[in-house]
Amino acid sequence: MEECCSSKPKKEQNHNHEGHDHAHDTGDKSIFRMFLPAIVSFVLLLVGVVLDNYLKTNWFNGWVRLVWYLIAYIPVGLPVLKDAYESITKGDVFSEFFLMGIATVGAFAIGEYPEGVAVMLFYSVGEVFQAMAVTKAKNNIKSLLDQRPDEVTVIKGGKPVIVKAEFVKIGEIIQLKSGEKLGLDGELLSEKASFNTSALTGESKPDTKTKGETILAGMINLNTLSEVKVTTAYEDSKLSKILELVQNATSQKAPTELFIRKFAKVYTPIVVFLAIGITFLPYFFVEEYQFRDWLYRALVFLVISCPCALVISIPLGYFGGIGSGSRNGILFKGSNFLDSLANIQNVVMDKTGTMTEGVFKVQEVNFKSEFDKNEILKWVNALESKSSHPVATAIHDFVGEVDNNIQLDNVEEIAGHGLKANIKGKEILVGNFKLMDRFNINCDIRPENIVYTLIAVAYDQKFVGYLTIADSIKADAQSTINKLKSLNVKTTMLSGDKASVVQYVADALGIENAYGDLLPEDKVNKVKDIKAKNQTVAFVGDGVNDAPVVALSDVGIAMGGLGSDATIETADVVIQDDMPSKIPMAINIGKQTKKIVWQNIALAFIVKAVVLILGAGGLATMWEAVFADVGVALLAILNAVRIQKMKFN
């Protein structure tokens, strides 16, 4: 992961409270090499314990016994003592390495050699597991996202040439074979191709693209040989931005994480001074004061109080939440937004492109019976082919290919109204009802009572009927609202679209409040009204047109992460595949992450508090102290990485 994090300051890459390399990079080390020092120490410790308690030989005492346990201590103890020394030279005296160092050296000083070795051995084993957990979490995210191939095939002089992806220029043409990953963003030149987009969206369902559509770095060509025209430089590709976003996400700390860091800075020196007090203060209150006994209790106290369970497992918990989001096509710009989403009370959403497809489709054809429906539709399709309006696209998609045998004469587009032409010597009109009024066509319907966009048709001065065109509701929109309600989250729809259309969509989905015909400033005022009730708000939109509302909301969620670079820049959370069902999923990931973090905090404090009291009272030995430190840390880490395995569907 070194290359993944090289752009960040060293301090931000580490995971303990003072910037120490608590979880060393394990990417280039085998598991055996990582555990080798611990294995050596464990074997020597085991032999020593057998010689001490079972064989009881005459030669295993005095300086021989001391040297034996020192040799057992060195493989695991020396790296920790080195870290402690380095932290002291940087001005950080009260690090966890310092705690473990004085505790184990102190154990040697009072003759508790096996316990000194055991404490450092189990601490070192815990450190290796922690390092493995952190590295695995990072590698999981990197493998999910960094799907860019190092080399691509570029067509030069009509021949395919393999070149480094970062050297490919905008405008060059890439040849993409079946099974290959695209290295740069581009425009599809081939007629049609299917792609696996799971690296970007978390969605395994193949996505079929047609000529002229945008395809992105990381997508995998599934079938035919395809050609792609490069539209974005390697370093500016969508995937590069996503990688950068996830890599920098851990720099945006959640309040809980920031509190634990500040707490550890104060807590550790207090623990050291309390240990000194446990050693010397009993002299003034206890009749038979034994320095060795009270020093042992203080050393136990130091081992127990090491805060690594908190300073490792909590950031790892948030990192796991960010990783789970990435796996499901949800990008969090920081762990603070996981916390914010966990407490969201209101989701305010745009309509077009969020809960609806953003693509107009013909919903209904209502023609009078005296006209040939199929013939009229062919005429309408032929006439609309002369227009670039989205309505024309909707009609073309509905009817199919244009019949080139249809003879159109005197075609005229009337701005704001529609189209006029002659077919078979008679006039045909296709447009809105203003067009019908303009040509005095008598219509026997009330268009204001119909929520859809209406396209009226007249032929030979007679009203033929109308087509209804609408932006269809997304397939998972209904389940989205149901899940939000199950999470006790209130829903509101704000849109600049026609109020009756907005209300229709809201009623169909069960959205509690809906407002249409809104300008951007009207949306801001609506969100302000909600926040005035001291309620938290997440706004879901495109992140560009709705920038003022996104800035005002507690969490800005952008739909269409694959469509707009500005979206990634402005939003706090990016949903890459435009699926609204990812909104409750993101909230659920936030809730589960926060739950796991607080479980770890409770576990660490309760266990440590109990054993601290027992240790100060002389009822706990170094062995209980080891469990309270390393054991609790490992349990907390296992709990933290659990979120990466959770299903959030």
Side-chain angles (χ1 to χ4, degrees):
M1 285 294 293
E2 197 63 34
E3 74 278 12
C4 178
C5 303
S6 59
S7 62
K8 293 165 61 182
K10 180 68 176 173
K11 187 170 183 178
E12 287 184 16
Q13 293 175 35
N14 301 325
H15 297 268
N16 75 319
H17 64 289
E18 288 297 320
H20 299 298
D21 194 5
H22 199 303
H24 303 285
D25 182 41
T26 62
D28 298 326
K29 294 182 181 179
S30 68
I31 293 177
F32 176 76
R33 280 182 60 198
M34 290 162 58
F35 281 103
L36 183 59
I39 293 169
V40 172
S41 288
F42 177 72
V43 171
L44 292 172
L45 174 64
L46 194 61
V47 172
V49 170
V50 170
L51 291 171
D52 268 339
N53 299 287
Y54 298 101
L55 298 181
K56 297 182 180 179
T57 58
N58 293 329
W59 61 271
F60 194 69
N61 54 47
W63 67 269
V64 174
R65 184 170 179 267
L66 171 61
V67 170
W68 184 275
Y69 283 114
L70 273 175
I71 295 172
Y73 178 85
I74 287 171
V76 290
L78 198 59
V80 176
L81 294 178
K82 182 183 175 184
D83 285 335
Y85 171 76
E86 288 177 354
S87 67
I88 290 170
T89 59
K90 294 174 183 176
D92 173 28
V93 177
F94 299 106
S95 66
E96 63 196 73
F97 309 117
F98 178 71
L99 290 184
M100 299 308 297
I102 60 174
T104 53
V105 170
F108 268 83
I110 60 175
E112 299 291 347
Y113 309 145
E115 293 188 7
V117 175
V119 167
M120 194 59 82
L121 170 62
F122 288 115
Y123 176 77
S124 298
V125 170
E127 287 287 286
V128 174
F129 278 119
Q130 292 161 15
M132 289 172 64
V134 172
T135 303
K136 184 178 179 183
K138 287 182 176 181
N139 287 339
N140 281 346
I141 292 176
K142 188 173 174 66
S143 64
L144 279 167
L145 292 176
D146 197 2
Q147 300 291 323
R148 296 168 299 183
D150 294 327
E151 297 178 331
V152 295
T153 304
V154 177
I155 304 298
K156 291 188 176 183
K159 295 181 179 180
V161 180
I162 296 175
V163 297
K164 292 283 187 182
E166 61 262 38
F167 298 139
V168 177
K169 297 177 182 178
I170 294 174
E172 291 194 272
I173 296 172
I174 293 175
Q175 185 184 80
L176 200 61
K177 298 174 185 175
S178 177
E180 277 190 334
K181 294 173 186 173
L182 182 61
L184 300 97
D185 296 354
E187 175 188 322
L188 184 64
L189 298 181
S190 304
E191 289 299 324
K192 186 181 287 187
S194 292
F195 294 90
N196 179 337
T197 65
S198 59
L200 292 158
T201 66
E203 184 65 43
S204 59
K205 182 181 176 182
D207 187 4
T208 300
K209 301 288 187 180
T210 54
K211 186 175 181 178
E213 286 194 83
T214 299
I215 52 176
L216 305 173
M219 291 184 176
I220 302 171
N221 186 17
L222 293 178
N223 42 35
T224 57
L225 183 71
S226 303
E227 290 188 351
V228 180
K229 181 181 178 182
V230 176
T231 57
T232 309
Y234 182 80
E235 63 273 12
D236 296 326
S237 70
K238 190 74 62 178
L239 192 55
S240 295
K241 292 178 180 293
I242 293 168
L243 275 167
E244 182 182 356
L245 183 146
V246 174
Q247 289 159 15
N248 293 333
T250 49
S251 65
Q252 299 286 333
K253 303 298 179 187
T256 311
E257 196 173 349
L258 292 172
F259 168 75
I260 290 298
R261 285 188 168 194
K262 292 176 182 176
F263 171 80
K265 289 181 72 173
V266 177
Y267 163 86
T268 310
I270 289 175
V271 162
V272 173
F273 289 116
L274 284 175
I276 294 171
I278 290 171
T279 305
F280 296 106
L281 288 179
Y283 174 80
F284 302 101
F285 303 101
V286 177
E287 289 184 10
E288 296 182 6
Y289 172 78
Q290 293 288 331
F291 173 77
R292 184 186 180 283
D293 291 345
W294 288 102
L295 176 59
Y296 181 79
R297 294 183 187 186
L299 296 175
V300 171
F301 184 86
L302 285 177
V303 174
I304 298 165
S305 60
C306 185
C308 61
L310 294 173
V311 297
I312 285 294
S313 65
I314 290 171
L316 188 58
Y318 283 113
F319 201 88
I322 292 170
S324 292
S326 299
R327 186 177 288 106
N328 288 285
I330 304 168
L331 300 181
F332 296 95
K333 285 194 175 179
S335 53
N336 51 330
F337 300 120
L338 281 164
D339 262 12
S340 298
L341 273 177
N343 301 317
I344 283 296
Q345 296 165 288
N346 294 270
V347 168
V348 178
M349 64 202 76
D350 191 17
K351 179 183 75 70
T352 306
T354 301
M355 304 308 287
T356 63
E357 295 287 354
V359 178
F360 287 97
K361 293 181 180 179
V362 174
Q363 304 294 314
E364 180 188 8
V365 178
N366 196 325
F367 289 168
K368 292 184 177 180
S369 57
E370 65 254 36
F371 295 95
D372 184 331
K373 177 180 175 181
N374 292 329
E375 185 177 35
I376 295 292
L377 280 175
K378 288 180 180 179
W379 292 352
V380 170
N381 190 29
L383 182 55
E384 287 288 350
S385 68
K386 308 299 180 183
S387 170
S388 59
H389 195 278
V391 165
T393 304
I395 291 173
H396 173 72
D397 290 342
F398 180 76
V399 179
E401 291 298 322
V402 174
D403 186 348
N404 294 320
N405 295 321
I406 296 173
Q407 182 67 41
L408 294 173
D409 299 316
N410 303 321
V411 177
E412 181 184 352
E413 183 167 0
I414 302 169
H417 291 73
L419 295 160
K420 178 176 79 75
N422 288 331
I423 295 179
K424 295 183 177 181
K426 296 178 181 177
E427 187 178 73
I428 183 171
L429 302 170
V430 179
N432 55 31
F433 279 84
K434 293 178 184 176
L435 182 67
M436 300 296 111
D437 293 338
R438 180 167 176 164
F439 285 87
N440 299 315
I441 304 298
N442 183 29
C443 304
D444 51 1
I445 66 163
R446 295 178 61 86
E448 63 271 15
N449 293 336
I450 301 172
V451 296
Y452 294 131
T453 300
L454 298 180
I455 303 300
V457 181
Y459 182 66
D460 191 22
Q461 293 295 304
K462 296 176 184 175
F463 180 61
V464 174
Y466 61 87
L467 296 87
T468 59
I469 294 180
D471 185 7
S472 58
I473 296 172
K474 289 184 177 179
D476 60 337
Q478 185 64 71
S479 64
T480 298
I481 302 303
N482 294 341
K483 287 175 183 176
L484 288 172
K485 287 182 177 179
S486 70
L487 292 169
N488 295 317
V489 175
K490 298 174 185 175
T491 54
T492 302
M493 180 177 282
L494 305 179
S495 178
D497 205 348
K498 184 178 170 185
S500 60
V501 175
V502 176
Q503 192 60 55
Y504 172 81
V505 173
D507 290 343
L509 296 175
I511 296 172
E512 295 166 55
N513 303 298
Y515 305 92
D517 297 315
L518 299 179
L519 297 172
E521 55 266 32
D522 299 325
K523 293 183 180 182
V524 169
N525 291 331
K526 292 293 183 184
V527 171
K528 281 182 178 178
D529 290 343
I530 297 173
K531 289 179 70 71
K533 301 173 186 175
N534 293 320
Q535 294 187 355
T536 53
V537 178
F539 181 83
V540 190
D542 60 18
V544 181
N545 299 331
D546 297 313
V549 201
V550 170
L552 179 65
S553 60
D554 296 285
V555 180
I557 303 176
M559 303 294 287
L562 297 184
S564 168
D565 286 338
T567 303
I568 288 179
E569 299 297 330
T570 56
D572 305 317
V573 179
V574 178
I575 294 175
Q576 294 175 254
D577 55 9
D578 291 349
M579 293 175 65
S581 56
K582 297 294 176 70
I583 301 167
M585 183 184 289
I587 294 172
N588 198 17
I589 290 173
K591 286 182 179 293
Q592 292 300 324
T593 302
K594 189 172 183 179
K595 181 180 176 182
I596 282 175
V597 164
W598 279 103
Q599 284 173 351
N600 285 345
I601 291 172
L603 173 70
F605 275 116
I606 291 171
V607 174
K608 283 181 180 288
V610 170
V611 184
L612 276 173
I613 294 167
L614 293 174
L619 300 175
T621 67
M622 282 276 189
W623 301 102
E624 283 85 4
V626 167
F627 172 75
D629 174 42
V630 179
V632 171
L634 287 175
L635 288 174
I637 288 161
L638 289 172
N639 192 37
V641 299
R642 185 166 57 91
I643 192 169
Q644 296 182 61
K645 305 293 183 183
M646 288 183 177
K647 302 289 185 183
F648 294 98
N649 295 333

